[in-house]
Amino acid sequence: MTKDISIQVIKRLPRYYRFLTELENNGVDKVSSTKLAEVMSSTASQVRQDLNCFGGFGQQGYGYPVAMLRKEIGRILGLDKTHRAVLLGAGNLGRAIATHLNFDSLGFQLTAIFEKDKKLIGTMLRGITVMPDSDIEDYIRSNHVNTAFLTLPKDSVEPLIDKLYALGIRNYWNFSHFDIARKYSDTIVENVHLGDSLMTLCYRINEKNH
Amino acid sequence: MTKDISIQVIKRLPRYYRFLTELENNGVDKVSSTKLAEVMSSTASQVRQDLNCFGGFGQQGYGYPVAMLRKEIGRILGLDKTHRAVLLGAGNLGRAIATHLNFDSLGFQLTAIFEKDKKLIGTMLRGITVMPDSDIEDYIRSNHVNTAFLTLPKDSVEPLIDKLYALGIRNYWNFSHFDIARKYSDTIVENVHLGDSLMTLCYRINEKNH
């Protein structure tokens, strides 16, 4: 069933999921397509079309069952599984990532954090003791890890990536500007380029004031 | 001229710009469409088509002049102007943002940082002394600021946004889950939802291993 969902719909799923989680936390049982359309900046008919992809949820006039719909979207996203991940880089960005996100509910378990800066090694982050980066190889060899979160600068990622790839890591959440997928085409890389986001904001401001 | 550029091309500009900056920093004078296509995960003909939008750059067989092309793309993005911005939130995420990015080259000048946590007020970040959030109103009233970077949780943004809007702030770089554009439709909001990015990674991993 999942196979038939278009990439456009998939891209909207995290947002649906996020909003449904909020509703569920607020004790809401049912939600209408109109209300969902509002938060999705979409139309009620688009929402109904999207949600039809996952089978027979919702009945005209009754609204969608929040908990069931959330669970189903979570299942499609694969959030019910857990990928074991390590974080490389415990500087400001690494610390923000480690403390900011609830990985468990996003499909990942953060199992270890590595850093080369001696001042940061041994400190605690999210209940995890930061380890020296010289331990990476041993750790990954003896633990089931399939994902790396990279909050290091490009220059540090470049020499590291061959090692990580050789150790079998194929999934990357990459905050650096190093283009991992170009070097290793069988990796899955989700890039977060904060500078690109800021440039886009700049463009949109200027465009509006033109 | 800028008006004719499609949104698809615009979305690729930050990436072109980032790569051209790197080339310029490495002392490279000319770059071929083939080389640009490689880093853009595109084709040489697509690159030539993109860059044709900005006028007569490049000559078949000679490559594009790196510095000129970078400057022109920067101009289209509006990076040659400077928007004055304040950062709200000096926690882990705020600190990461403040220290991580070179705002000056991205079209912005960070002029002040505000925080409600007393332990953080008075500390220095990027040469800026963190101020108490009670000073926001006075500061914005007496300084030309048009943009706010929000690295606060949703609950803190919600009561703050009316004040910021009333003070004339219309541009937001928003890391919180509060949907600013839904409340104020004449704002320009660039959202960074890190959780959504991680869910997308999760989906892609599971999809591949299906």
Side-chain angles (χ1 to χ4, degrees), chain A residues 2-202:
Chain A
T2 310
K3 291 282 169 193
D4 300 314
I5 303 174
S6 78
I7 183 72
Q8 279 74 26
V9 179
I10 294 297
K11 280 188 177 167
R12 288 193 283 270
L13 291 187
R15 194 163 177 186
Y16 277 118
Y17 187 81
R18 183 151 44 82
F19 182 62
L20 289 165
T21 302
E22 230 168 77
L23 288 178
E24 196 177 342
N25 290 345
N26 292 338
V28 178
D29 278 347
K30 302 249 176 194
V31 62
S32 67
S33 49
T34 312
K35 177 80 182 164
L36 277 170
E38 215 181 292
V39 290
M40 296 296 291
S41 311
S42 177
T43 63
S45 96
Q46 174 72 72
V47 166
R48 283 193 295 268
Q49 207 177 307
D50 281 1
L51 301 186
N52 268 342
C53 300
F54 328 141
F57 279 113
Q59 250 183 300
Q60 196 78 38
Y62 287 90
Y64 293 93
V66 170
M68 256 170 82
L69 186 56
R70 174 180 175 272
K71 202 174 164 195
E72 178 61 10
I73 292 178
R75 199 193 56 76
I76 294 167
L77 286 169
L79 307 182
D80 51 343
K81 297 176 194 82
T82 304
H83 303 284
R84 289 168 61 89
V86 293
L87 168 65
L88 307 190
N92 280 309
L93 188 56
R95 305 176 80 77
I97 297 306
T99 52
H100 199 67
L101 290 163
N102 187 7
F103 298 110
D104 306 340
S105 65
L106 298 167
F108 294 90
Q109 186 194 355
L110 182 61
T111 67
I113 303 172
F114 299 93
E115 169 62 49
K116 70 174 177 192
D117 183 346
K118 287 195 176 107
K119 285 194 301 292
L120 297 168
I121 296 166
T123 61
M124 294 284 283
L125 258 180
R126 205 194 180 93
I128 299 171
T129 308
V130 177
M131 293 195 271
D133 63 353
S134 51
D135 288 359
I136 292 176
E137 235 168 310
D138 279 352
Y139 182 87
I140 293 181
R141 279 229 175 81
S142 48
N143 289 274
H144 293 282
V145 172
N146 71 7
T147 303
F149 302 160
L150 305 177
T151 56
L152 302 164
K154 184 177 181 176
D155 296 349
S156 307
V157 171
E158 209 153 357
L160 199 62
I161 202 72
D162 297 331
K163 193 199 277 187
L164 293 173
Y165 187 86
L167 288 163
I169 306 287
R170 293 290 179 276
N171 313 313
Y172 297 91
W173 197 29
N174 179 33
F175 287 77
S176 83
H177 285 168
F178 186 79
D179 193 340
I180 300 168
R182 184 149 68 100
K183 182 151 193 190
Y184 293 112
S185 61
D186 65 337
T187 53
I188 297 177
V189 186
E190 191 67 24
N191 290 306
V192 182
H193 292 319
L194 297 173
D196 289 12
S197 165
L198 204 51
M199 283 192 246
T200 306
L201 178 63
C202 183

Side-chain angles (χ1 to χ4, degrees), chain B residues 86-95 112-123 125 129-136 149 151-153 156 160:
Chain B
V86 293
L87 169 66
L88 307 191
N92 280 310
L93 188 56
R95 307 176 78 78
I113 303 172
F114 299 94
E115 168 64 46
K116 70 173 175 189
D117 182 345
K118 286 196 177 109
K119 285 194 302 292
L120 296 168
I121 295 166
T123 60
L125 258 180
T129 307
V130 176
M131 293 194 274
D133 62 352
S134 51
D135 288 359
I136 291 176
F149 302 159
T151 57
L152 302 164
S156 307
L160 198 63

